[in-house]
Structure formats: C-alpha cells, structure tokens
Amino acid sequence: MIMLGSLGAVTATAPVEHLLTSMGWRQLFEILAVATGTTAILIYLVVPERSVAPSTASATLSSVFSDRRFWRMAPLSATCIGSAWSLQGLWASPWLTDVEGFDRASLVRQLFIMSIVLSAGAWLFGMTVHCVKRRGIGAETILAIAAVLFIAAECALILRASLPSILLWSVVAIVGTATVVSFAVVADYFPPELAGRANGALNVLHFGWAFLAQYATGLILEQWSANDGHRPVQAYQAAFGFNVALQIATFLWFALPWFRSFASWVGSICLEMSASTFEPAESVGLYQNSAILLPPDDDAEW
C-alpha cells in the first residue's frame, strides 16, 4: 500500500514537468482535485463494508503514549523518516542546484530517480521485514540498520565525499519508506486493537518532524546571505549537520538497551575469565595436625 502511495512522488517529478508544457499549475491542481474526489466517492460506494467483532480490550491513546518501548523507538523513527521526507520533499532540489550545480533537466531527472527508489523502497522494506521476522529477528534491527545508513549518507553529503550523488540521495529517498519497518515494530509492541492507534500516533510524529525539519533547515540557511539566489555550501552543511546530530542522539537513545546488554555480556565474560585464572589453592597445614588415612592392606610405618 505504501509502495503504491509513493507513486504520487513519482508523478510529481518528470510526468508533471511534461504536463506543464501543455497546461498551467492551476489546471493541473484542478485535475488532481477531481481525481482525488472521484477516488473518495468510489471507495465510499464500491468498497464493501466488513463487520468486525467489537473488542473488549481497552484501546486508548493513553496506552500508547504511556508505553516506554514506544518512546524508545518513536524519536529515532520520527527524526530519520521525517528528515528524509523533508529532504526529498523540499531541500533536495536547492541542494542539487546550489551545491551540485544541476540544471533544470538534470534536477528533474535525479528527482525522478529518487522517487522511483522511494516507491520501490517500501516493497523492499516490506519483503525484508517479512523474511527476517520468519528467522526470529525483530524489525527493530532493520530500523537500526536503516537509521545508520541514513546517517552515513547524510554525513557523506555534508563532508562532500567523492561518491555518486544519486547513490547518497537514493539512500535518503529509500529511508522515506522506512515507515513500513516502524509499523512492523509497533505491531510487535501492541495488540491488534491498539496497532491502528499506535501507527497513527507514530505517523503524526513523522509528519510533525518533517515540518519541524523543513522549518529549522530554512531558518539555518537564512543565516547565510544568498548570492544570485544561491546559498553557500557551508549553509547547507550546517543545516544538514544539525539534523544529523539529532538523529545520532535519538539512535543512541534507541540503542541504549542493546548497549546495556552488551556491557553486561562483556562483564560476565570478564568475570568468567577472572574465575578461571585464579583457581582456589589448597590449604596447607602442619603434618602433625593432619590425620593421614592409609589403605587397610598397607603396612607402612611412619
């Protein structure tokens, strides 16, 4: 479902650029509004209702927001996925224009490729989570790996690493569909009657952080004056670096239980090594105070 929904990002790049040669923005939005309204009417009239047995469990948002596991995972998911939406939806275009020096055609082409990666990423994440969960691995591991790759890609952009730009921005795009992984994590935390509310609460944090990241990035960029409409590389490095710092902080918070488990495991290994090194010594006393037992058939004299 998320993969199909992400096709909207694909149509917003090269297909829209092609349509704008024969119509204006107003006409395009009128077509989109009619298509959206028609779809809503078809869902209401065509999609059948399904009777669901009422649940006796207490399903409230307070149960979600009071769960420690939710607040362990939600900040990392929000800062990474929300920032990915912020970058692809708004700040990728200025970066590619001001920093990479792309012209209009190259910009549209790269955004089109990023959108395809975004759509395919949802399917890839879904299949990956399905496979790893069948092997007894939690979806949290996939979320942690996606966060590490996202932070690494952002750092490579900030440091101007000699890597293909499309490779780094594709990592940014694919993390935008990591909601698939986050929803799978939430499904493990809560019963079915709470999963919908928990996913909704998490998605509010995703969109909320996307807004905050877009706004904060713009505020930081405004601290540098624009030259012919273009801002210096240092402005983007500072703005992107601020987001990365927050993502690293949330990752450390998310991985804190793993760090504690690892430290406990290392401590137990050290204790076992110490116990095996220092073997208990036998007590030594005077032979006059010791009783020596001999076998019955031994006639030796002392």
Side-chain angles (χ1 to χ4, degrees):
M1 183 185 66
I2 295 178
M3 179 190 70
L4 295 175
S6 300
L7 291 177
V10 177
T11 59
T13 55
V16 167
E17 183 77 5
H18 177 72
L19 289 174
L20 289 179
T21 59
S22 57
M23 68 177 67
W25 281 102
R26 292 181 180 273
Q27 187 177 358
L28 176 63
F29 274 92
E30 289 171 357
I31 294 174
L32 291 175
V34 171
T36 304
T38 303
T39 304
I41 294 173
L42 288 175
I43 292 174
Y44 181 77
L45 296 177
V46 178
V47 177
E49 292 288 347
R50 186 181 65 173
S51 59
V52 180
S55 175
T56 58
S58 176
T60 60
L61 281 177
S62 60
S63 302
V64 177
F65 291 128
S66 61
D67 192 285
R68 293 183 178 180
R69 297 171 302 174
F70 178 82
W71 289 114
R72 182 76 65 180
M73 179 271 297
L76 178 65
S77 181
T79 54
C80 289
I81 295 174
S83 295
W85 291 350
S86 169
L87 291 174
Q88 178 154 0
L90 182 61
W91 296 115
S93 179
W95 169 281
L96 294 174
T97 303
D98 296 347
V99 179
E100 303 289 344
F102 279 26
D103 57 10
R104 179 70 180 179
S106 300
L107 173 63
V108 172
R109 188 184 312 112
Q110 177 133 333
L111 292 177
F112 178 68
I113 296 174
M114 289 172 58
S115 300
I116 294 177
V117 172
L118 173 71
S119 182
W123 176 84
L124 176 62
F125 274 130
M127 294 298 297
T128 302
V129 171
H130 177 70
C131 292
V132 300
K133 291 187 73 173
R134 291 179 60 183
R135 288 166 173 77
I137 303 175
E140 291 178 333
T141 304
I142 306 301
L143 180 61
I145 294 174
V148 170
L149 292 177
F150 181 55
I151 293 172
E154 289 177 297
C155 290
L157 287 172
I158 294 170
L159 299 176
R160 308 288 290 125
S162 56
L163 293 172
S165 174
I166 186 59
L167 173 63
L168 300 177
W169 281 105
S170 293
V171 175
V172 173
I174 202 172
V175 171
T177 57
T179 49
V180 177
V181 184
S182 300
F183 293 161
V185 174
V186 167
D188 292 335
Y189 287 170
F190 300 99
E193 59 270 11
L194 262 179
R197 286 178 171 83
N199 283 334
L202 182 61
N203 228 18
V204 169
L205 297 179
H206 290 159
F207 281 101
W209 189 263
F211 162 74
L212 291 176
Q214 286 183 343
Y215 186 74
T217 300
L219 286 180
I220 296 175
L221 291 177
E222 288 180 354
Q223 305 308 310
W224 280 263
S225 58
N227 185 14
D228 293 334
H230 301 285
R231 300 191 183 276
V233 179
Q234 293 79 7
Y236 290 96
Q237 290 174 329
F240 287 15
F242 176 73
N243 284 320
V244 170
L246 294 176
Q247 292 157 18
I248 293 175
T250 58
F251 177 80
L252 295 177
W253 170 252
F254 173 77
L256 186 60
W258 292 350
F259 293 150
R260 289 175 177 172
S261 300
F262 179 76
S264 177
W265 176 76
V266 171
S268 63
I269 294 296
C270 293
L271 288 177
E272 291 178 2
M273 294 178 61
S274 300
S276 61
T277 302
F278 299 99
E279 296 179 353
E282 297 181 357
S283 60
V284 179
L286 296 177
Y287 70 89
Q288 293 90 341
N289 300 328
S290 303
I292 300 177
L293 300 179
L294 297 177
D297 58 347
D298 197 334
D299 57 352
E301 294 183 358
W302 292 87

